[in-house]
Each structure stands twice: as structure tokens, then as C-alpha cells.
Amino acid sequence: MERTVVGIDDTDSATRGMCTTYLAAVIAEHISSFATVEDRLLVRLNPEVEHKTRGNAALALHVETDEPKRVKETVVEAVEENAVFDDEKTNPGVAFLRGEPSDALAQYTREAVREYKTQEEARRIADENGVLVRGWKNGRGVIGATAAVGASRAFDDWTYELLVYRGEEEWGEQRRVSWDTFFDAHNETFPRTWDTVDEEKGEVVAVPAAPGPVVYGLRGTFGGVWDANAHVEIEEAERLAIYRTNQGTDAHLVDARACEVEDGGSYRVEGTVAEAPETREGGHVFFAVEGETGACLRCAAFEPTGRFRDTVRRLREGDRVVVCGSVSDRTLKVEKMRVVSLVRTERVKPTCCGRRMESAGRGQGYRCRNPDCDKTAETLVEESVEREIEERWYEVPPSARRHLSMPLVRLRRSPRHETV
Ligand code: ATP
């Protein structure tokens, strides 16, 4: 028996159903009739790639087999039968590797999460690292399929997603699920699972709105998602798949200075609030952070981030923060932020006779406004300011979370991050 790693990407359509995770589950079932599927990976790639359908997912199956040729034929046949070829944006790709991925391939995978890759580069890397690729239509899917093949060696932090699917006749229909049971699942298994529900809003997050095959997806540790699933009740399910995934790991974030960030990348940047938050049309909140070199980075908490914007609005000029998120249009879309230190005092005019003094003229200090009082002061005084925000991490609500973004419930336990 030997190992064959299969990568699959870009088979689905935003409007006509299908989902590459579903197709991978179907393919895994076919392969299981003659070989052993040892591992299933759901790999999230660069979230800023503009031609993605939804979450820029690519899939990998690790197969132990004596019949690698049959594995290939099974995959190609399933893609040809199921991919949504008549969607202009669907350009499937598959990749096959005999044996384990090389370091160079793993490096390519990490870059595909953080950078933009061309099809030429994907094909070159594949060629140099023993990966056979096949693309359909414009062939773009080989970029993600190649990255999926290198994923098992690319990351050292993994979470799990358990997905339950419905049959094709149900796609586009209302999902018949018992909504309350998702709250039970959450209550019984959080923090081993996360993003099942939004407790504050009382909403279920695990059930997507898209018309496709996914009924729900549970995210967490391996044991957590199984335990949570035991609580969920739904009317009909066709199949279940559990994937090891780089979701919720911050694999996309690169530590950078404000002057280094570029459109299309995702970063963790420390700086000082240089422009206080301002709410603009549509409810989006903007502020600016200044790095050591004096470069300013515009940051945004967009309307869908909901109550996270209330936190952002409480920032003041001079506060020290770490902001995490992807950059487009020279703006970092904040996924989470650490308040490192807060401005606790401000310089204000002194008070006299119950009111703030007024300026006595340029360079002449301040005088009391009461005509019967002749008190004066030379300088401003320091006064403490009430802050409604604390020195700790804050994050967007579960409904606004990006797939790769590490929820705080994980971050607190991660040795790679300074705790709150
Ligand atoms: P879903 O999550 O619903 O399966 P999707 O959001 O994954 O859909 P795809 O339809 O797979 O979107 O489209 C993403 C496309 O972008 C694929 O063709 C993939 O090869 C390509 N791609 C992935 N990562 C990169 C990258 N870093 N640079 C350039 N192209 C990429």
C-alpha cells in the first residue's frame, strides 16, 4: 500500500449549489470501496482572492492504496460528473501526489494562504515536486488543488469541522432543522466548539443561508464537534463528513509594520490610534493606526461586524492596539484587536468657580470666567478620563468571523500568542 494525496478545488457555484467539501465527501465514499481514506483536509486559502466563490476552500484526501491509477480515475470522473461547468466562475482543478508532500510544496501552500498565486507558478511547483495536475476550463483550480496537496505539511495547528449534507433534491429548499438543538450543542460543548451560535443575538451560525448541500457545519476540536453533533436534531441528512482544517488558526496572518502592509495580504499590526474612530455612511467605522515609522494604516470595522463596532468606537487617539485582518483598498478590515494600552489621562483647561477656565490670550495661560474671580493658571492640567474599554482582546461576533480567523476562545489557550 502506498500514499496518494488528492487535491480538489473550484468545482462549485455560488448560485447553483454544489460545494467542493461535498464533492470531496462523495469522492471519498467512492474511493473507500477499494482503498482507505486516511485523512480529509479542508484547507482555507487566501481570503482576499477575488475570484473565490465563498470561503476559498480547497480539499485534500490522503489515501492508502495499491491502485493509485484507479484513485485518479475516480476523482476525474466525479469532478466531470458533478462540477458546475456551466458557471462561468467555476474552473475545476485536481492534483495528485504519490507519497508525502515536500518542504517546497508545504511552503507553496503557506504562501497560497497569504499571497496571490498564478497558475503558472502552481504548475511549476507541482512539476518540481512530483504533483500531477489537471485543470478544466481556464484551469485556475490547479492553484488551490496543488496547495491542498501540500497542506498536511504546511501547518502545525489544526481544528475540525463536521459537516452534514442533504441530497441534491433538497438543495435550494428551506433547511428543516431544530434550531434550539444548536444552542444545546453549544451549551454542552463550548469552548471545545465555537461559532455554532451567536449567544448575544440568539442566532444559529452553524446553518448557512446558501442554497447548496450543507445543512450545517460544527467547528471545534475533534472530540468537541462529535459531542456537539450528538445534540443536533434535523429531519434529513444524506451524509456526514469530518475534516481536519486550518480554519480558526490565523494561518493567514503575517506580523507586519503599518508601512509594510499591501493589498491582498492579511496582517497583525501594532500601532497607536492616530485618527479617532468615525462612523460613516452605511454604519462602517473607520480609524487609523500609526506605526513606528510614522506610516498610517486605515482600519475599518464594517457594518456586518455588528456590536464589535461599539467597541471600536470607544478607541481614542493615543491608544495602543494590535489590529488583525486582511487589507484591500489600503484598508485593514479588523477581525480582532488587542487593546495594549489606553490613554488614561488628558490635558484640559483647569476648572475654577465650577467651570473650565478660558484662554487668556495666546501664550498667556488661562483665566477664570467668573468676572468676580481673578484666578489664573499658566498651563493645562492632567485629568483622568473614564474609559469604557479595557486592555484585552476583542473580536467580531461569530456571524462575522472569517474562516481562517482564530476565535479568542482558542487564542487564549494558544502558546503562540501573548494572552489577554
Ligand atoms: P467554496 O468555499 O464554496 O468551495 P471557494 O470560495 O473555495 O468556494 P473557489 O470556487 O474554489 O472558491 O475559487 C477559488 C479559486 O481561487 C480557485 O480557482 C483557486 O485555485 C484559486 N486560488 C486559491 N488560492 C489562491 C491564491 N492564493 N492565489 C490565486 N488564486 C487562488
Side-chain angles (χ1 to χ4, degrees), residues 9-10 12 20 44-46 49 51-57 112 115-117 140-141 143-144:
D9 197 7
D10 209 342
D12 62 354
T20 307
R44 295 290 177 179
L45 300 169
N46 189 343
V49 166
H51 40 254
K52 68 179 181 176
T53 311
R54 282 180 292 257
N56 204 3
E115 299 166 16
Y116 187 84
K117 292 289 172 193
R140 188 187 287 138
I143 302 171

Side-chain angles (χ1 to χ4, degrees), residues 333-352:
K333 295 165 274 180
V334 187
E335 295 166 10
K336 58 177 169 270
M337 116 184 138
R338 181 183 168 204
V339 178
V340 178
S341 64
L342 289 167
V343 170
R344 298 276 181 190
T345 57
E346 61 184 343
R347 288 177 66 76
V348 292
K349 291 173 187 161
T351 305
C352 190

